[in-house]
Amino acid sequence: MKIFVTGCCGYIGSHTCVELLTNGYNVVGLDNFSNSKKEVLDKIREISGKSIKFYEGDMLDSSILYKIFSENEIDCVIDFAAYKAVGESVSKPIEYYTNNVSSVLTLLTAMKKNNCKRLVFSSSATVYGDPDTIPITEDSKTGGTTNPYGTSKLFVEEILKDLYKSDNTWDICILRYFNPIGAHSSGLIGEEPNGIPANLMPYISKVACGKLECLSIFGNDYDTPDGTGVRDYIHVVDLAKGHIKAVEKLDREKNGLYIYNLGTGKGYSVLDMVNAFEKANGIKINYKIVGRREGDIAVCYSDPNKAKEELGFIAEKTLEDMVRDAWNYENHN
Ligand code: NAD
Ligand code: UD1
């Protein structure tokens, strides 16, 4: 089976390419390197022993998409290409909606014209906004997003639902990721944030290696066991494997629109994460408690049962694996 992966050189895309290649899929990839590097292609080859057929270009450019579809018989598309920095999205809404929503319309148009109607889309737990109930099921209400990044994911979900309503010969799987962290155990691929990281795990890694002095913990007065925010962290390799399960599901079922949470179902606090990192890697993390970060919620973790029952997906890696692999990647780079 031939899979077209957009954003194939990014954090989640690169790990998914490795899983696809090692599971016998042919992979065609597209990236414009707006948030990744060409070297990732070599690393994917080094880990998997196989190459992807790569196109450099922008998903907003319909001509590159037509070229890809005409030169390759694509069975399924996995769409990762998007901008993802929450803070930046607030100051650059036009750029975020263009890159995260318009580009999907360009992709869907090219897919339709080429009669390729099978898509796995990268969404986020951010579409649940501030959830009413925990754990979050796929039926929990969506909306109430607090930034253009989150809203862009919500808009695309709605577009995909309307598309499926208009033509139920599409096969669409929306995956709502919780908090992906960690890296491939080889240390060759991982997350490379631009500038000072906004997310917890990359920030902890930068403090551990001395590039940043001290972690600021955003609030210890939440209604959680230790007062710090609780999240559902999932190892990026488990997450990548979830995409294989989604592709298999679409191949098995034919025609449908499916939505799954990809998480572990376990919630860990910021202090849990600091402690786990210190214990697994034997490094002390300097931290201080500061005020809450605007837009943050207290607790967010998934009910992973639908993905377990319908996809056969279970996240297998432990918190120790996540923090060890994150640190291993930082050391390699
Ligand atoms: P990433 O930035 O590491 O990867 C995205 C890749 O897409 C990059 O290689 C970038 O160069 C490329 N890209 C961006 N716009 C493009 C365009 N117009 N044309 C071609 N290539 C383009 O991000 P990631 O963490 O791998 O995230 C992948 C997807 O998962 C995104 O859609 C993101 O919103 C979603 N997601 C990520 C997280 C997370 O915590 N990392 C959580 C939930 C959802
Ligand atoms: C953030 C985004 C979310 C996005 C997700 C993955 C916000 C409000 N939400 O989620 O839309 O889908 O990243 O990219 O930005 N923390 C600290 N100190 C830090 C960094 C984080 O204490 O320096 C805390 C946060 O307050 C939170 C937890 O660590 O309680 C996790 O934060 P983070 O990694 O940024 O992820 P989310 O906020 O869950």
Side-chain angles (χ1 to χ4, degrees):
M1 202 190 283
K2 201 169 267 185
I3 316 285
F4 172 32
V5 180
T6 77
C8 63
C9 292
Y11 176 44
I12 305 170
S14 58
H15 288 83
T16 303
C17 285
V18 165
E19 293 305 317
L20 286 167
L21 291 167
T22 51
N23 279 280
Y25 290 91
N26 290 310
V27 179
V28 175
L30 171 75
D31 209 297
N32 64 0
F33 301 118
S34 56
N35 197 34
S36 56
K37 297 198 181 102
K38 263 197 183 105
E39 296 82 80
V40 171
L41 292 166
D42 301 328
K43 309 279 165 100
I44 292 172
R45 194 177 318 119
E46 202 177 326
I47 300 169
S48 66
K50 293 179 186 164
S51 298
I52 69 178
K53 185 170 175 189
F54 180 71
Y55 292 80
E56 181 172 349
D58 199 303
M59 206 167 87
L60 283 157
D61 171 9
S62 54
S63 63
I64 186 101
L65 296 178
Y66 288 109
K67 186 172 160 63
I68 290 169
F69 281 106
S70 63
E71 290 178 0
N72 305 278
E73 263 195 35
I74 304 293
D75 297 294
C76 179
V77 179
I78 307 182
D79 179 25
F80 293 108
Y83 293 152
K84 63 165 180 180
V86 171
E88 188 183 59
S89 78
V90 176
S91 55
K92 295 182 173 172
I94 296 175
E95 288 84 345
Y96 269 69
Y97 287 121
T98 303
N99 203 48
N100 292 9
V101 182
S102 300
S103 70
V104 177
L105 292 171
T106 311
L107 174 68
L108 293 172
T109 306
M111 289 177 72
K112 190 177 165 189
K113 287 220 166 109
N114 288 279
N115 204 30
C116 172
K117 294 183 171 180
R118 200 175 284 179
L119 172 73
V120 177
F121 175 70
S122 293
S123 189
S124 166
T126 194
V127 300
Y128 294 114
D130 195 351
D132 290 338
T133 50
I134 296 287
I136 303 173
T137 69
E138 289 79 354
D139 294 330
S140 301
K141 76 162 175 36
T142 56
T145 48
T146 53
N147 54 75
Y149 166 71
T151 308
S152 74
K153 291 290 165 189
L154 196 66
F155 284 169
V156 174
E157 288 204 4
E158 294 306 313
I159 289 168
L160 294 176
K161 287 177 196 166
D162 285 342
L163 175 63
Y164 181 71
K165 241 185 258 166
S166 74
D167 174 0
N168 65 9
T169 63
W170 280 82
D171 283 325
I172 298 170
C173 188
I174 294 171
L175 299 177
R176 293 178 179 154
Y177 313 152
F178 280 68
N179 291 53
I181 61 167
H184 193 267
S185 57
S186 62
L188 292 171
I189 52 174
E191 186 171 18
E192 240 171 297
N194 274 329
I196 296 176
N199 296 116
L200 179 65
M201 200 61 234
Y203 205 106
I204 291 178
S205 294
K206 298 284 178 226
V207 173
C209 69
K211 284 189 187 142
L212 292 171
E213 234 170 68
C214 179
L215 168 72
S216 294
I217 295 185
F218 300 137
N220 66 349
D221 56 352
Y222 286 106
D223 186 14
T224 62
D226 63 24
T228 65
V230 168
R231 297 290 183 274
D232 184 341
Y233 298 93
I234 177 169
H235 196 294
V236 66
V237 171
D238 276 333
L239 189 72
K241 289 179 176 164
H243 293 76
I244 309 279
K245 298 284 189 191
V247 170
E248 287 171 357
K249 165 85 178 172
L250 294 182
D251 194 39
R252 217 170 33 240
E253 301 285 345
K254 317 271 187 264
N255 308 350
L257 183 142
Y258 309 93
I259 302 179
Y260 299 104
N261 287 339
L262 291 186
T264 64
K266 294 188 195 90
Y268 290 104
S269 73
V270 180
L271 285 171
D272 289 335
M273 298 306 288
V274 170
N275 293 336
F277 190 98
E278 289 182 336
K279 191 165 167 232
N281 300 315
I283 297 166
K284 196 101 198 88
I285 301 297
N286 287 329
Y287 70 82
K288 61 179 179 208
I289 307 289
V290 300
R292 292 181 177 191
R293 177 172 67 179
E294 205 190 318
D296 267 357
I297 55 177
V299 182
C300 176
Y301 61 89
S302 68
D303 179 336
N305 281 315
K306 189 176 175 204
K308 183 178 167 191
E309 281 155 21
E310 295 185 17
L311 298 181
F313 172 75
I314 300 174
E316 285 167 348
K317 293 193 181 270
T318 62
L319 185 59
E320 192 186 340
D321 296 328
M322 300 182 213
V323 294
R324 189 199 53 231
D325 291 341
W327 179 230
N328 183 41
Y329 177 72
E330 188 68 37
N331 272 326
H332 270 76
N333 295 276

